Structures are given as C-alpha cells and as structure tokens.
C-alpha cells in the first residue's frame, strides 16, 4: 500500500525548522531596522559590531573580515 501526501501534509513536515527560520528572519529584520547590523561583503554572514570612541567596528565571525565606520554625532 503506497503512502500519499497531500500538499497540506507536505507543508507541515518541517514545521519546527520553519518556525526557527521565521524567528531568525524576524530577529534579523529588527536588527536591520535599528541599524545595528552589517553583512560581510566577502562571505555574506552577519558581522558583530563594537563601538569604540567615535568609531563602529564590525568583525565577521565566519571569515574574520573587519570594517570600521565613523559615527557622526
């Protein structure tokens, strides 16, 4: 006896993964609106930001690329 799936069944096979992806997308979108996020131009991963004096430093966790920006007061 063959097992058949409808489109509705296939939609919920990876519901946990879909929920995780949605929460990650929401977190990234909120960081984008705050302006506290940058993406690496080499690999495309998110960069960590550090503020030192009047400079904002970004470092990619994946490839180690570093970028500095001046903060305008």
């Amino acid at each position: 006896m063959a097992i058949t799936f409808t489109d509705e069944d296939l939609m919920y096979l990876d519901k946990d993964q879909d929920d995780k992806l949605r929460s990650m997308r929401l977190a990234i979108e909120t960081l984008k609106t705050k302006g506290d996020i940058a993406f690496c131009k080499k690999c495309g991963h998110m960069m960590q930001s550090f503020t030192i004096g009047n400079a904002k430093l970004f470092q990619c966790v994946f490839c180690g690329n570093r970028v500095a920006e001046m903060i305008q007061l």
Side-chain angles (χ1 to χ4, degrees):
M1 183 170 155
I3 299 173
T4 57
F5 292 101
T6 64
D7 289 338
E8 187 175 323
D9 292 331
L10 291 174
M11 191 169 68
Y12 294 108
L13 280 178
D14 294 326
K15 187 165 176 42
D16 293 334
Q17 289 179 350
D18 287 340
D19 291 340
K20 288 178 186 177
L21 284 174
R22 282 189 188 136
S23 65
M24 288 169 41
R25 286 183 193 139
L26 181 64
I28 290 172
E29 290 299 321
T30 55
L31 288 173
K32 279 183 182 178
T33 57
K34 289 181 183 177
D36 293 338
I37 193 169
F39 291 96
C40 182
K41 294 191 192 261
K42 286 184 179 178
C43 65
H45 286 85
M46 288 188 338
M47 299 178 85
Q48 287 181 333
S49 65
F50 305 97
T51 304
I52 300 173
N54 62 348
K56 193 173 224 181
L57 305 173
F58 295 99
Q59 180 176 2
C60 181
V61 181
F62 188 74
C63 70
N65 187 23
R66 293 182 182 151
V67 178
E69 292 180 357
M70 296 298 293
I71 300 173
Q72 296 179 358
L73 301 173

